[in-house]
Amino acid sequence: NFKSAIDFFCIHAGGRAVLDGIEKNLSLDAADMAPSRSVLFDRGNTSSSSIWYELKYIEEHTELRRGHKILQLAFGSGFKCNSAVWTRIR
């Protein structure tokens, strides 16, 4: 279960169907999806830059502490996917 190694998720808010599919296929829950769904609601589809708005959401609305890990997933046209895992160091 990869969720045991990841504390928060920033998933490209490319639309409701994208988020629904990722939520289902990665077995995420509503709390995991809150940053992405909030950014989609507030800003719409801002392309892959949405992951940075989602990171800001996490910083402002959660108890982000040193050592926490954040998985960022961004998607492009065709079959393109970039991911990064960030670790809070301060």
Side-chain angles (χ1 to χ4, degrees):
N1 180 357
F2 74 94
K3 282 179 59 173
S4 63
I6 302 295
D7 300 292
F8 300 101
F9 298 85
C10 295
I11 299 166
H12 169 210
R16 184 175 160 196
V18 171
L19 295 180
D20 290 347
I22 296 296
E23 180 178 15
K24 178 182 177 187
N25 287 294
L26 296 183
S27 300
L28 301 177
D29 58 33
D32 297 326
M33 300 300 296
S36 301
R37 293 200 187 277
S38 177
V39 167
L40 181 62
F41 180 80
D42 291 343
R43 298 180 180 268
N45 181 356
T46 60
S47 189
S48 58
S49 67
S50 67
I51 60 176
W52 300 109
Y53 295 118
E54 294 158 17
L55 181 58
K56 182 177 178 171
Y57 177 96
I58 290 169
E59 290 174 331
E60 292 176 348
H61 294 92
T62 69
E63 296 290 327
L64 187 59
R65 296 186 307 270
R66 184 165 43 162
H68 276 164
K69 296 196 179 344
I70 301 167
L71 174 65
Q72 289 184 317
L73 292 173
F75 307 99
S77 60
F79 188 73
K80 295 178 186 166
C81 176
N82 282 325
S83 62
V85 176
W86 298 88
T87 302
R88 174 82 182 241
I89 59 173
R90 294 188 282 164

